[in-house]
Amino acid sequence: MQRTKRLFGKGIISNPKMVTQSQFSQIQFQAVLNKFSMLYNVMKAANFVDNAIVQLSNDGMKVIVEDAKSIQASAYITRACFSEFKLAIARPSSVADAPNNPDATLPFISFGLNLKVFTDCLSMFTSGDYDSSLKLIQKGTGAPLIVILEQHGEDDLITECSVRTMDPFDCMELDFEDEQQIVSKLNVKGMEFFQLLSEMDRNCDEIEVIISPDAPHLILHSFGELHSETSVEITNTSDMLITFNCTDASRNRYKFHHFRLAMRTLALASKVALRTNSEGLLGLQVMIENSDSSHIFVEYFILPLMSDGDQTTL
């Protein structure tokens, strides 16, 4: 990591001592965020494990973290968030001689990244009222991610960070692509949902989520130490609910610790989409408004402690 104080010429790395200057000849990824404080807040919230997978596609940037194969979070920084976004996806060598192969080009490129180191770099210019911008550069497979922070002002202070990348590792494949398995879809107001969870017993170990077509339509029931319990009932006429759709009643328990991890981004949310499927998989898609009216999305998948079939029938 090197810190300098100089004018920076049109995004060109002028420091010949940076390792990436001579090691890689072509830029694979280059993007600019004029204001990155929200990106920092989202990355810090998602940093409940050190290492993450970064996926770059023409739609934007996706950062995936997961813990103990029981919770996964994916942060989507859409292309609209960037004032500049350039991505060159190379064709794999295995299909280099097969131009008619539909799989000849990859839909995205991916690499592993230490998220704590990345957020530490971003934190340098997030304090104060300065007008700061962020530039990200990556020059190919195995190359570090170059983080260039520029604080605009009298001195035009520039910080360049070189963050090592790793080979991508396997993550759980979780989604709601099968619409027939989805049993409930709720859209809720972000701040109200965050406040509701904040009022639950912070010492509880588990939370039971009951969703039903019949009133009360949503019940959150927490279980804590010494058999302490709290319960909240919400009907589909509540001001907190934007939309409510439930085809089958479900009852599933989850670790409340996983909800605490999600609350780090729920505190920033304008809207939250909550979905459950027949296997008890819970999805929380958090929409966060950026300062320029673009959006960052963070999606959580939380696996149940017990499937609905293991619970008492409603």
Side-chain angles (χ1 to χ4, degrees), residues 77-271:
I77 302 90
T78 60
R79 187 167 183 150
C81 295
F82 298 90
S83 59
E84 177 184 335
F85 191 92
K86 297 179 182 178
L87 179 65
I89 302 178
R91 183 164 57 184
S93 58
S94 60
V95 294
D97 298 326
N100 296 324
N101 190 330
D103 298 323
T105 57
L106 294 172
F108 58 83
I109 58 175
S110 64
F111 52 86
L113 188 73
N114 188 303
L115 199 56
K116 184 179 186 304
V117 173
F118 181 59
T119 53
D120 284 347
C121 292
L122 296 182
S123 68
M124 294 180 185
F125 283 175
T126 53
S127 61
D129 298 325
Y130 298 99
D131 180 17
S132 302
S133 61
L134 165 69
K135 188 165 194 173
L136 301 173
I137 298 176
Q138 214 249 353
K139 295 191 172 185
T141 304
L145 178 67
I146 302 300
V147 181
I148 303 170
L149 307 167
E150 182 170 0
Q151 193 176 84
H152 306 288
E154 293 181 359
D155 297 326
D156 282 343
L157 183 63
I158 305 295
T159 296
E160 299 176 20
C161 307
S162 176
V163 184
R164 294 183 181 275
T165 60
M166 303 168 283
D167 291 334
F169 47 86
D170 292 333
C171 289
M172 296 182 292
E173 295 185 5
L174 302 173
D175 57 56
F176 287 102
E177 289 185 357
D178 189 349
E179 290 285 336
Q180 293 183 347
Q181 288 193 351
I182 298 177
V183 296
S184 59
K185 294 180 182 179
L186 291 71
N187 286 318
V188 300
K189 296 177 181 178
M191 184 52 63
E192 284 84 346
F193 190 55
F194 169 75
Q195 291 174 345
L196 174 64
L197 292 176
S198 299
E199 292 170 359
M200 304 290 287
D201 184 359
R202 288 302 185 96
N203 295 318
C204 67
D205 301 317
E206 300 177 4
I207 183 169
E208 186 175 60
V209 179
I210 304 171
I211 305 175
S212 172
D214 304 316
H217 301 93
L218 173 63
I219 301 175
L220 301 179
H221 194 176
S222 66
F223 302 86
E225 298 177 355
L226 302 177
H227 304 288
S228 62
E229 298 182 15
T230 59
S231 184
V232 178
E233 297 183 356
I234 301 169
T235 65
N236 60 4
T237 58
S238 169
D239 290 339
M240 186 185 76
L241 294 177
I242 301 172
T243 62
F244 179 89
N245 184 280
C246 178
T247 57
D248 294 303
S250 62
R251 183 197 300 257
N252 296 284
R253 284 197 190 187
Y254 308 88
K255 286 185 178 180
F256 195 73
H257 171 67
H258 293 155
F259 277 74
R260 292 191 190 99
L261 296 179
M263 286 172 64
R264 298 178 182 181
T265 50
L266 287 174
L268 308 171
S270 57
K271 185 169 68 173

